[in-house]
């Protein structure tokens, strides 16, 4: 009866209204605009899932059956201090080993790195959201004792209504309704995005995902989202209403470029867990609130994390195994085992000549990072805001959030700071314009035009930003400051047919293991994928140290094996320059790092 009542309420009432200042934290703050009631939502029960239990068991195994006995302890050198490298080190110290992380930059986190500008404001590489369906990340927060640093939001998805500027619609997940029925009910109860007939048409093609599971999902990798839709007769409007926003949020590209396996993988994780789609923001900057506890854990147990230590060369023995790492400083790093936790584009530049004819490394030619731009925009007053992630459904913008209400460290009762993902942003991502090559001012003007269109009563007409010239007198909010972070090579481009080239963590090199969100694992290129990739790399090393059976090296495609035979091996390109752009991260571009990017990655400046 309770279920039926809830269903009738949703079907008749539609989605919740998107009102200004939905409750967002622990306290009330009185301003001249009224009282903003702040409230965090309770942590959902993320532990009661098969995936959580599976990976929790793996976590525990590092201090039990995988724990090194006297004489089994290994010295491990890990290249890269992103989430994957740090996670690998964390689980290796739990298993009694001695890892050292070598990070090239002066900040940890890789694609979740952040830094402060001259005003003390934090600039983040990306807008990062934590989902209930991130079992390894949830395990990690529990193991580090930092669950209280996640600010959970109401179980809801919020979409901007392009055809109704200033309005939003929601998918509401009703408490107490189990998965996948809660997701189905959330879609059925929304009256603004799809008709009932379109919803009914959409369901049958997705049923094999729930019935057949991973084999069906993997088999769709050769199809783009658009091709899958047309093959199975899904209505075109599902693309316009849902999949465009979903594709850009998952991999920063449009549905005609994105593998359907990515969408089905996400949907399968989210649909099968009651709280899988519930979202949380970190309560502050990632280096302090997430990376620092990982470092503390590692160093308290005998490991080390060294920053400003770029690797110049991976030096090999005559048999192809690693002899040592040569740092730019001239220091030689000798270890029992080595882990690469570098982005795929950097691995390709660092691959020693002795490895280049191996099919394992040749398959990496099929993988490359996708460009994305992350924007920070500070306004001179408070915008209408919700304490949540918003899907913009804009041709230029992916997702955004008002960090002044979603994040405790960035809280401001008087002024808003929007963080927005600008995608697709180049021909490499399927876009019509190469925004990576545009100036910051051009990017911000285009974004202001989109914000003016989406929020016609809030954004002011500002002569500094020509795209806002048609705004009416109601709009008063002016941009007072901005930062444009360009990530030329972010997560690997999950275009159709790429999944089979993601390599196993185990490699053909006797003392090398591969980590990273782009390596083969059941989650996407994401924070969750990065943590899992590092965890699986640690498992390989811990098993090797104990003489246990190792997971197999993933099969290589026959055409890669054949082409590797005739590949002309050359001295590795290596890494030129310094800073985030040189090592696969994101940065606000100045003349120096833009010049470097033009030299080492000229594809970023090719026009559509």
């Amino acid at each position: 009866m309770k279920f039926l009542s809830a269903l009738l309420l949703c079907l008749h009432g539609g989605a919740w209204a998107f009102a200004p200042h939905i409750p967002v934290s622990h306290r009330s703050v009185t301003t001249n605009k009224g009282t903003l009631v702040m409230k965090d939502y309770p942590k959902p029960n993320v532990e009661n899932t098969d995936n959580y239990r599976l990976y929790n068991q793996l976590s525990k195994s590092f201090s039990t059956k995988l724990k090194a006995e006297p004489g089994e302890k290994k010295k491990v050198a890990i290249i890269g201090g992103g989430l994957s490298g740090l996670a690998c080190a964390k689980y290796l110290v739990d298993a009694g080993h001695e890892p050292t992380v070598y990070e090239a930059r002066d900040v940890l986190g890789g694609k979740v790195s952040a830094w402060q500008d001259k005003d003390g404001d934090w600039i983040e590489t990306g807008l990062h959201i934590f989902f209930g369906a991130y079992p390894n990340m949830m395990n990690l927060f529990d193991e580090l004792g930092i669950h209280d640093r996640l600010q959970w939001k109401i179980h809801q998805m919020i979409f901007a209504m392009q055809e109704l500027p200033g309005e939003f619609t929601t998918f509401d997940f009703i408490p107490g309704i189990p998965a996948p029925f809660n997701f189905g009910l959330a879609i059925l109860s929304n009256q603004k995005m799809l008709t009932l007939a379109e919803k009914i048409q959409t369901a049958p093609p997705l049923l094999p995902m729930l019935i057949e599971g991973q084999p069906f999902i993997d088999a769709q990798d050769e199809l783009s989202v658009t091709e899958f839709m047309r093959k199975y007769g899904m209505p075109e409007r599902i693309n316009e209403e849902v999949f465009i926003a979903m594709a850009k949020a998952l991999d920063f590209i449009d549905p005609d470029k994105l593998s359907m396996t990515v969408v089905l993988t996400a949907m399968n994780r989210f649909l099968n867990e009651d709280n899988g789609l519930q979202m949380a923001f970190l309560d502050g900057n990632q280096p302090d609130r997430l990376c620092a506890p990982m470092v503390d854990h590692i160093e308290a147990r005998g490991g080390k994390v060294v920053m400003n230590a770029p690797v110049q060369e991976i030096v090999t023995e005559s048999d192809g195994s690693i002899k040592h790492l040569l740092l730019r400083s001239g220091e030689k790093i000798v270890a029992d085992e080595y882990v690469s936790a570098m982005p795929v584009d950097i691995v390709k530049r660092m691959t020693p000549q002795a490895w280049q004819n191996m099919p394992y490394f040749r398959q990496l030619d099929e993988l490359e990072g996708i460009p994305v731009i992350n924007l920070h925009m500070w306004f001179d007053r408070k915008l209408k805001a919700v304490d949540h992630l918003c899907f913009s459904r804009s041709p230029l913008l992916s997702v955004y959030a008002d960090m002044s209400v979603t994040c405790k460290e960035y809280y401001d009762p008087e002024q808003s700071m929007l963080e927005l993902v600008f995608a697709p942003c180049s021909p490499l991502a399927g876009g019509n314009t190469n925004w990576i090559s545009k100036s910051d001012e051009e990017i911000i003007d285009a974004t202001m035009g989109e914000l003016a269109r989406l929020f016609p009563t809030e954004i002011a007409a500002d002569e500094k930003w020509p795209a806002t010239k048609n705004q009416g007198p109601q709009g008063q909010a002016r941009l007072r400051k901005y930062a444009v972070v360009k990530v030329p090579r972010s997560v690997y481009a999950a275009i159709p047919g790429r999944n089979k080239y993601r390599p196993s963590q185990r490699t053909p090199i006797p003392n090398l293991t591969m980590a990273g969100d782009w390596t083969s694992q059941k989650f996407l290129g994401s924070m969750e994928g990065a943590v899992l990739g590092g965890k699986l790399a640690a498992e390989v090393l811990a098993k090797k140290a104990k003489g246990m059976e190792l997971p197999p090296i993933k099969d290589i495609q026959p055409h890669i094996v054949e082409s590797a035979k005739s590949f002309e091996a050359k001295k590795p390109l290596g890494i030129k320059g310094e800073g985030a752009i040189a090592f696969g991260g994101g940065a606000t571009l100045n003349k120096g790092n833009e010049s470097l990017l033009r030299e080492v990655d000229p594809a970023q400046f090719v026009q559509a």
Side-chain angles (χ1 to χ4, degrees), residues 54-66:
L54 172 68
Y55 292 113
N56 180 252
Q57 186 176 15
L58 177 56
S59 290
K60 291 180 177 178
S61 71
F62 288 102
S63 56
T64 54
K65 67 179 182 180
L66 295 179

Side-chain angles (χ1 to χ4, degrees), residues 314-324 352-355 358 509-511:
I314 300 171
V315 181
T316 59
E317 298 277 13
S318 58
D319 64 355
S321 62
I322 298 177
K323 182 179 182 181
H324 62 259
Q353 192 168 351
W355 302 350
M358 296 183 180
I509 306 304
N511 56 352

Side-chain angles (χ1 to χ4, degrees), residues 155-444:
H155 202 175
Q156 193 177 64
M157 294 178 69
I158 301 173
F159 293 83
M161 297 292 289
Q162 287 212 73
E163 65 278 18
L164 298 171
E167 293 190 25
F168 296 79
T169 187
T170 62
F171 289 166
D172 303 311
F173 293 79
I174 299 174
I177 305 298
F181 303 107
N182 61 349
F183 189 84
L185 183 58
I187 294 174
L188 285 172
S189 64
N190 182 287
Q191 305 299 307
K192 291 185 177 181
M193 289 179 71
L194 296 170
T195 67
L196 181 59
E198 288 167 337
K199 293 170 185 175
I200 292 172
Q201 274 184 278
T202 299
L206 300 178
L207 290 178
M209 172 189 69
L210 296 173
I211 297 169
E212 299 177 36
Q214 202 63 43
F216 175 80
I217 292 171
D218 292 341
Q220 310 314 308
D221 189 49
E222 302 299 324
L223 296 176
S224 71
V225 176
T226 306
E227 289 169 339
F228 178 91
M229 287 176 50
R230 290 170 182 165
K231 177 180 178 179
Y232 288 94
M234 297 176 78
E236 287 292 329
R237 262 189 10 106
I238 190 71
N239 190 42
E240 300 168 14
E241 297 293 324
V242 179
F243 283 161
I244 289 177
M246 194 172 184
K248 293 203 292 184
L250 288 170
D251 205 63
F252 314 130
I253 55 180
D254 284 334
D256 61 336
K257 293 283 186 181
L258 182 67
S259 164
M260 189 62 189
T261 287
V262 174
V263 171
L264 291 176
T265 297
M267 294 182 74
N268 191 44
R269 303 290 178 264
F270 296 146
L271 263 64
N272 284 312
E273 298 180 9
D274 294 354
N275 300 302
L277 254 174
Q278 191 155 358
M279 306 175 207
F281 285 70
L282 197 61
D283 66 359
N285 71 86
Q286 294 95 341
D288 289 346
R289 305 302 287 167
L290 176 55
C291 296
M294 297 176 77
V295 173
D296 291 344
H297 182 99
I298 292 163
E299 294 188 336
R301 290 158 181 79
K304 295 178 183 178
V305 177
V306 182
M307 292 193 285
N308 296 304
V311 174
Q312 179 173 307
E313 184 183 358
I314 300 171
V315 181
T316 59
E317 298 277 13
S318 58
D319 64 355
S321 62
I322 298 177
K323 182 179 182 181
H324 62 259
L325 304 179
L326 178 64
L327 302 188
R328 283 190 185 177
S329 65
E331 182 182 359
K332 294 179 180 179
I333 304 299
V334 179
D336 301 309
E337 296 282 349
Y338 301 84
V339 176
S340 167
M342 299 180 285
V344 64
D345 301 282
I346 303 302
V347 171
K348 289 190 285 187
R349 297 186 69 90
M350 294 292 292
T351 303
Q353 192 168 351
W355 302 350
Q356 291 177 21
N357 287 98
M358 296 183 180
Y360 179 94
F361 294 98
R362 289 276 53 85
Q363 68 184 329
L364 306 190
D365 294 339
E366 303 294 329
L367 302 173
E368 63 176 338
I370 201 79
V372 68
I373 297 173
N374 196 55
L375 305 177
H376 300 70
M377 301 175 71
W378 286 264
F379 287 87
D380 63 357
R381 65 197 64 220
K382 206 72 184 167
L383 300 172
K384 293 178 182 178
V386 291
D387 181 26
H388 218 299
L389 181 74
C390 297
F391 293 82
S392 78
R393 299 168 71 230
S394 150
L396 294 180
L397 305 176
S398 171
V399 291
Y400 69 92
D402 187 338
M403 301 299 282
S404 69
V405 296
T406 59
C407 176
K408 292 174 185 174
E409 184 174 6
Y410 306 150
Y411 171 75
D412 187 333
E414 301 293 337
Q415 299 177 328
S416 282
M417 190 278 273
L418 297 186
E419 192 168 339
L420 312 98
V421 178
F422 192 102
C425 66
S426 91
L428 294 171
N432 295 323
T433 301
N434 192 343
W435 292 101
I436 289 282
S437 68
K438 299 289 186 182
S439 69
D440 290 357
E441 290 73 21
E442 288 173 303
I443 293 167
I444 292 297

